[in-house]
């Protein structure tokens, strides 16, 4: 006979090996548990649980919610009052590490506490569980229940709420108030005595299922299957004759130890329990349970036995799903376990520790599994494959029951139907269930399960977990998972500009084309050369984003970058382009004001159409290329010189251009400089000469730069002409007396022709002919009209006489 060692002692009789199994916890998902299994020797048992509760943490357990609102379960050796899943009882640990216990309640009224193991145990090979219990320190109330609950064999669930307080001990219902979900057996170590009370039944229990409505202190009672407010009836075989209260209740933990062993035998033949260091092994009948315990201070043990409830019976209809139990026997495939305890008006500390659980009829199959994905970073919209590799561990028995792989795909990963032949699969929303039938020997692998999927969710940096639970009705559960991170789709960006050679100050449009065209988001257009942003966030529509702007950058090549931001599923990308900005063409127009001026005055020449930011000069020239005037920008006008000769000028305005604006020439405008009208005045003087009267005629009033001639006429007869710059001329054609002479200026390009009159008076007198000698003869060809002329003649005669005396014939 194998005797299970007490966990407070070193293990010396057996070598144990760690294995992992997983279950899906309601509201939590799949978790991996660490448990123990015996070595695979012939007849070895599979160890499911080995938890002492003496340390500062435990795994894998949960704290269900309590009807009272607070589940007060805690660890006495932990000081972490916010620890999970089970916190410490006090910020100063009550017990030293290695000496603690799982405390379900402290000494206080109307308290309730409990924990549930997240590991389920298959009962195809039976179950042999043992633990130590303690109730002490208060006024002897109420009690502790070790429960077994039915669960889905392929997706085990832990009860997330415990039953009612008081006499229900956290297991059974009270009237309409529900008990522990899907309860199967509730072993009650009842100090106060109400666990036997029919008042704590659910509905559907016959009156004979409980011994009345009175309190019966100190009993060990088993309540059966129940769910919600139905069932939880007292099963036959309870023990209510254990003696006084002190049989289950003490004053300290040290003097209140009640060791308990619970054996489930689903087989069709009797079996023998393993026993512990405190309890001897017992024989358990076929399809029966046995509770072995030793009351405080007792030297012998007590055994409570009964037949395992058949869930096919009418009394248990609809309490659990029919797929959760064997249709041939009515016995559950798998059970979860835990403890609950409560107080009411009376109180006690309720604790347990040193829990072990194993099979009783040989090892069960132990499933194992690994998983992988064909690519851990599939792109959004692409497909990949998630592969599960189930196997049967050599540490357990062979697997002949159907093995179901339940795979849950997270949102964003859409499963596709399995295409192979080794599994039968169905897909429902994000869950795909695949079943393999046949026998797999211990140490052998099942065929790989290849499940295709599509990455339909948004890309991101957060890994998504695809998880699978591999289970059968008779084996431990194992889970496996693989991470998938949806990657963004790579994109390419191309950039174009229209016009291809933009001009400074002109409009231009940049076009970024994103591939694939389903991409959304924005594009930022930037001029890298000048460090300016052209468009901060141009919207992408059908894969295209545009940016229309004014080419306000300096002329020359510029590096333009289009940066696509990306979106939820498309990666960002960029493109560059280096267009060269050309100087802007200029269209200018010239004007003159006034367009006709007299010589010696100015006209203002102006140009329009030059951009305000332009620099350079505007030169105004005539048709011969002579510069009339020059304006330096920003001035756009200048005046003509006063020296501009009269005439008509075709004036051209030429803008020199600068780095940003091209040179330009304006259409010609006509400027007329009219000759200036100048008033002249004239004078005349006459003197007597030997040959006649000579008159000097002169004029004034013409500017020094005037050109041309001035003509003196008398009665239409030209007397003389002066060519400028001469201002006078002489004439001998005037007789004695006054003469009105017309003085006419011919004019030139700058001064208009003009005329005036002057009166010249020639004095009267003798008119003598001019004298000339021919031999001895004196000829007087010119009349002398004045006395002065006569004097001159006399002088001439006297001179001639002298020459004759000297023999000369001429003078």
């Amino acid at each position: 006979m194998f005797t299970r060692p007490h966990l407070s002692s070193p293990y010396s009789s057996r070598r144990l090996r760690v294995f992992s199994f997983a279950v899906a916890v309601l509201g939590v998902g799949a978790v991996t548990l660490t448990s123990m299994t015996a070595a695979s020797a012939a007849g070895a048992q599979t160890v499911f649980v080995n938890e002492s509760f003496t340390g500062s943490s435990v795994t894998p357990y949960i704290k269900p919610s309590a009807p009272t609102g607070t589940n007060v379960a805690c660890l006495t050796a932990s000081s972490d009052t916010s620890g999970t899943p089970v916190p410490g009882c006090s910020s100063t640990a009550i017990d030293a590490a290695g000496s603690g216990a799982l405390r379900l309640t402290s000494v206080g009224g109307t308290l309730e506490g409990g924990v549930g193991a997240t590991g389920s145990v298959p009962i195809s090979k039976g179950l042999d569980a043992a633990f130590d219990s303690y109730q002490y320190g208060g006024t002897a109330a109420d009690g502790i229940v070790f429960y077994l609950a039915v669960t889905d064999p392929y997706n085990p669930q832990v009860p997330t709420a415990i039953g009612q307080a008081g006499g229900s001990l956290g297991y059974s219902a009270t009237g309409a108030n529900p008990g522990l979900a899907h309860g199967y057996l509730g072993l009650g170590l009842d100090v106060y005595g109400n666990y036997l009370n029919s008042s704590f039944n659910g509905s559907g229990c016959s009156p004979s299922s409980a011994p009345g409505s009175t309190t019966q202190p100190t009993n060990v009672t088993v309540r059966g299957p129940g769910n919600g407010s139905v069932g939880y009836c007292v099963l036959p075989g309870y023990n209510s004759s254990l003696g006084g209260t002190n049989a289950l209740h003490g004053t300290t933990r040290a003097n209140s130890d009640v060791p308990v062993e619970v054996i489930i035998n689903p087989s069709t033949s009797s079996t023998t329990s393993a026993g512990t260091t405190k309890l001897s092994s017992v024989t358990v009948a076929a399809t029966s349970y046995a509770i072995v315990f030793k009351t405080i201070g007792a030297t012998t043990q007590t055994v409570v036995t009964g037949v395992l409830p058949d869930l096919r019976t009418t009394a248990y209809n609809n309490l659990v799903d029919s797929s959760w139990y064997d249709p041939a026997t009515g016995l559950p495939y798998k059970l979860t376990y835990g403890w609950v305890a409560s107080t009411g008006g009376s109180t006690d500390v309720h604790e347990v520790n040193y829990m072990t659980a194993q099979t009783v009829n040989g090892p069960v199959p132990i499933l194992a599994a690994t998983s992988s994905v064909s690519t851990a970073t599939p792109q959004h919209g692409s497909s990949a494959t998630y592969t599960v590799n189930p196997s049967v561990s050599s540490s357990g028995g062979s697997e002949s029951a159907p093995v179901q792989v339940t795979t849950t795909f997270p949102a964003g990963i859409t499963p596709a139907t399995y295409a192979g032949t080794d599994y039968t699969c169905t897909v429902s929303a994000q869950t795909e269930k695949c079943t393999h039938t046949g026998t797999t020997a211990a140490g052998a692998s099942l065929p790989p399960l290849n499940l295709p999927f599509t990455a339909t969710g948004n890309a991101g940096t957060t890994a998504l977990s695809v998880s699978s639970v591999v289970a059968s009705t008779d084996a431990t559960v194992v889970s496996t998972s693989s991470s998938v991170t949806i990657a963004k789709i790579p994109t390419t960006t191309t950039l174009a500009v229209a016009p291809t050679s933009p001009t400074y100050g002109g409009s231009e449009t940049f076009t970024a084309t994103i591939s694939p065209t389903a991409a959304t988001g924005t594009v930022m257009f930037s001029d890298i050369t000048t460090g300016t942003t052209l468009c901060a966030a141009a919207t992408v529509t059908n894969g295209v984003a545009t940016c229309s702007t004014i080419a306000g950058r300096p002329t020359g090549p510029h590096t333009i970058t289009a940066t696509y931001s990306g979106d939820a599923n498309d990666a960002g990308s960029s493109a560059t382009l280096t267009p060269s900005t050309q100087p802007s063409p200029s269209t200018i127009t010239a004007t003159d004001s006034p367009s006709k001026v007299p010589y010696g005055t100015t006209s203002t020449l102006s140009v329009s159409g030059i951009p305000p930011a332009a620099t350079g000069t505007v030169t105004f020239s005539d048709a011969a290329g002579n510069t009339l005037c020059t304006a330096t920008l920003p001035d756009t006008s200048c005046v003509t010189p006063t020296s501009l000769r009269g005439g008509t000028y075709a004036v051209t305005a030429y803008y020199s251009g600068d780095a940003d604006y091209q040179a330009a020439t304006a259409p010609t405008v006509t400027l007329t400089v009219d000759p200036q009208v100048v008033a002249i005045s004239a004078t005349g003087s006459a003197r007597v000469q030997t040959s006649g009267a000579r008159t000097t005629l002169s004029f004034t009033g013409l500017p020094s730069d005037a050109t041309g001639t001035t003509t003196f006429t008398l009665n239409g007869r030209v007397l003389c002409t002066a060519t400028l710059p001469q201002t006078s001329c002489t004439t001998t054609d005037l007789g004695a007396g006054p003469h009105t002479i017309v003085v006419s200026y011919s004019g030139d390009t700058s001064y208009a022709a003009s005329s005036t009159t002057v009166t010249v008076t020639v004095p009267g007198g003798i008119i003598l002919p001019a004298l000339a000698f021919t031999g001895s003869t004196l000829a007087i060809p010119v009349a002398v009209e004045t006395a002065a002329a006569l004097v001159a003649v006399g002088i001439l005669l006297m001179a001639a006489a002298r020459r004759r005396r000297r023999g000369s014939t001429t003078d």
Side-chain angles (χ1 to χ4, degrees):
M1 177 186 71
F2 168 75
T3 301
R4 179 180 305 161
H6 195 287
L7 294 185
S8 62
S9 303
Y11 292 103
S12 58
S13 60
R14 311 170 69 183
R15 297 180 63 188
L16 301 177
R17 185 165 55 197
V18 175
F19 78 98
S20 295
F21 64 98
V23 295
V25 180
L26 182 64
V28 178
V31 293
T32 300
L33 311 179
T34 300
S35 187
M36 307 289 287
T37 182
S40 57
Q45 308 299 332
T46 300
V47 176
F48 300 120
V49 180
N50 195 339
E51 175 60 67
S52 69
F53 296 109
T54 59
S56 60
S57 62
V58 294
T59 185
Y61 293 88
I62 67 165
K63 283 180 62 173
S65 62
T68 58
T70 302
N71 181 339
V72 297
C74 59
L75 294 172
T76 64
S78 172
S79 59
D80 184 359
T81 57
S82 60
T84 57
V86 182
C89 296
S90 171
S91 57
T92 300
I94 297 172
D95 294 309
S99 301
L102 169 64
R103 177 168 292 182
L104 301 172
T105 75
S106 59
V107 177
T110 317
L111 298 178
E112 192 167 12
V115 299
T118 56
S120 65
V121 290
I123 66 167
S124 59
K125 298 297 184 180
L127 174 65
D128 190 344
F131 60 91
D132 286 350
S133 67
Y134 313 89
Q135 301 182 67
Y136 65 91
T139 55
D142 269 287
I144 299 174
V145 166
F146 173 72
Y147 74 80
L148 295 168
V150 189
T151 189
D152 182 348
Y154 295 110
N155 187 23
Q157 302 292 309
V158 181
T160 57
I162 55 182
Q164 301 304 305
S168 291
L169 302 189
Y171 179 74
S172 67
T174 303
N177 298 316
L180 186 103
H182 304 125
Y184 184 64
L185 293 176
L187 162 62
L189 303 172
D190 181 15
V191 173
Y192 190 78
N194 268 334
Y195 195 58
L196 266 175
N197 195 325
S198 60
S199 299
F200 296 93
N201 292 341
S203 62
C205 296
S206 64
S208 61
S209 66
S213 58
T214 59
T215 299
Q216 299 185 50
T218 313
N219 66 82
V220 174
T221 299
V222 179
R223 285 185 176 269
N227 190 44
S229 61
V230 179
Y232 308 101
C233 306
V234 174
L235 298 181
Y238 55 85
N239 189 317
S240 60
S241 57
L242 298 176
T245 299
N246 292 336
L248 297 177
H249 165 79
T251 58
T252 66
R253 183 189 302 163
N255 66 18
S256 62
D257 181 15
V258 176
V260 180
E261 185 175 12
V262 179
I263 305 96
I264 304 295
N265 179 22
S267 69
T268 56
S269 60
S270 61
T271 190
T272 301
S273 68
T276 72
T277 56
K278 297 180 180 180
L279 300 171
S280 301
S281 62
V282 297
T283 298
V284 183
T287 63
S288 297
Y289 63 86
I291 295 95
V292 184
F293 60 94
K294 188 179 288 186
T295 57
I296 297 172
T299 57
T300 60
Q301 62 191 27
T302 303
V303 180
V304 174
T305 63
V307 177
L308 291 171
D310 183 346
L311 296 175
R312 297 171 299 177
T313 60
T314 302
Y316 304 136
N317 280 350
N318 302 319
L319 292 182
V320 297
D321 190 286
S322 61
S323 65
W324 295 6
Y325 57 83
D326 188 338
T329 63
L331 300 182
Y333 288 121
K334 290 181 180 176
L335 297 171
T336 62
Y337 72 92
W339 296 267
V340 288
S342 64
T343 65
S346 299
T347 65
D348 249 342
V349 174
H350 298 94
E351 295 175 342
V352 296
N353 60 11
Y354 297 116
M355 168 66 176
T356 63
Q358 63 183 32
T359 57
V360 71
N361 294 323
V364 296
I366 299 173
L367 297 175
T370 61
S371 62
S372 62
V373 288
S374 58
T375 173
T377 56
Q379 294 176 10
H380 169 77
S382 65
S383 297
T385 301
Y386 168 74
T387 299
V388 183
N389 296 292
S391 61
V392 179
S393 172
S394 59
S395 299
S398 63
E399 180 61 272
S400 58
V403 174
Q404 179 174 288
V405 181
T406 302
T407 301
T408 301
F409 292 87
I413 303 293
T414 301
T417 303
Y418 170 73
T421 58
D422 295 314
Y423 294 83
T424 301
C425 297
T426 59
V427 178
S428 176
Q430 295 296 107
T431 301
E432 187 164 5
K433 292 183 178 181
C434 298
T435 303
H436 177 268
T437 58
T439 299
T440 304
S445 297
L446 282 71
L449 173 60
N450 299 311
L451 301 177
F453 67 86
T454 301
T456 54
N458 289 339
T461 57
T462 301
L464 305 176
S465 179
V466 183
S467 60
S468 296
V469 175
V470 182
S472 70
T473 57
D474 63 350
T476 56
V477 175
V478 65
S479 67
T480 182
S481 63
S482 292
S483 294
V484 174
T485 302
I486 300 177
K488 292 189 175 185
I489 301 170
T491 64
T492 58
T493 298
T494 58
L495 180 61
V497 63
T500 55
S501 295
T503 57
Y504 178 80
S507 62
E508 59 185 348
T509 299
F510 293 98
T511 301
T513 302
I514 316 300
S515 179
T517 57
T520 60
T522 60
V523 174
M524 182 174 70
F525 295 85
S526 302
D527 185 337
I528 302 302
T529 302
T530 61
T532 57
T533 299
L534 305 179
C535 292
T539 302
V540 177
T541 303
N542 297 324
V544 175
T546 59
C547 174
S548 295
T549 184
I550 301 298
R553 55 187 176 274
T555 55
H558 288 256
T559 300
I560 307 300
T561 298
T563 303
Y564 168 53
S565 65
D567 59 18
N569 298 311
D570 297 282
S573 56
S574 63
T576 59
L577 186 69
T578 308
S580 184
T581 303
Q582 305 301 315
S584 176
S586 303
T587 301
I588 61 176
T589 301
T591 57
D592 51 3
S593 179
S595 59
K596 179 182 289 188
V597 296
Y599 173 75
T601 62
T602 61
S603 175
T604 299
L605 304 179
S606 302
V607 68
S608 60
I610 296 178
T615 60
T617 59
V618 179
T619 302
F620 297 88
S621 304
D622 62 16
N626 300 312
T627 299
L628 303 180
C629 65
T630 300
T632 299
L633 295 176
D635 291 335
T636 57
S637 64
C638 59
V639 296
T640 59
T642 57
S643 60
L644 189 62
R645 310 296 294 180
T648 299
Y649 295 86
V651 179
T652 300
Y654 173 75
Y655 166 52
S656 64
D658 60 13
D660 296 326
Y661 297 97
Q662 297 177 18
T665 302
T668 59
V669 294
T670 300
L671 172 64
T672 300
V673 178
D674 289 334
Q676 183 179 0
V677 177
V678 180
I680 64 174
S681 60
T683 61
S685 64
R687 63 188 180 90
V688 178
Q689 300 181 19
T690 58
S691 59
R694 288 186 180 273
T695 302
T696 300
L697 302 175
S698 63
F699 60 90
T700 60
L702 287 178
S704 60
D705 61 343
T707 61
T709 61
T710 302
T711 302
F712 297 84
T713 60
L714 179 62
N715 299 323
R717 179 171 56 89
V718 175
L719 299 178
C720 64
T721 298
T723 300
L724 293 172
Q726 295 178 348
T727 59
S728 64
C729 62
T730 62
T731 180
T732 58
D733 292 340
L734 295 178
H739 303 279
T740 300
I741 299 173
V742 176
V743 184
S744 299
Y745 170 54
S746 64
D748 61 12
T749 57
S750 300
Y751 300 100
S754 60
S755 64
T756 188
T757 61
V758 63
T759 301
V760 177
T761 301
V762 178
I766 300 172
I767 301 174
L768 296 177
L771 298 179
F773 287 94
T774 302
S776 62
T777 303
L778 175 63
I780 307 174
V782 181
V784 179
E785 299 180 1
T786 64
L790 292 176
V791 172
V793 171
I795 294 172
L796 290 173
L797 291 174
M798 290 173 67
R802 285 194 300 270
R803 285 193 298 269
R804 284 195 299 270
R805 285 193 298 267
R806 290 191 301 265
S808 175
T809 59
T810 62
D811 186 10

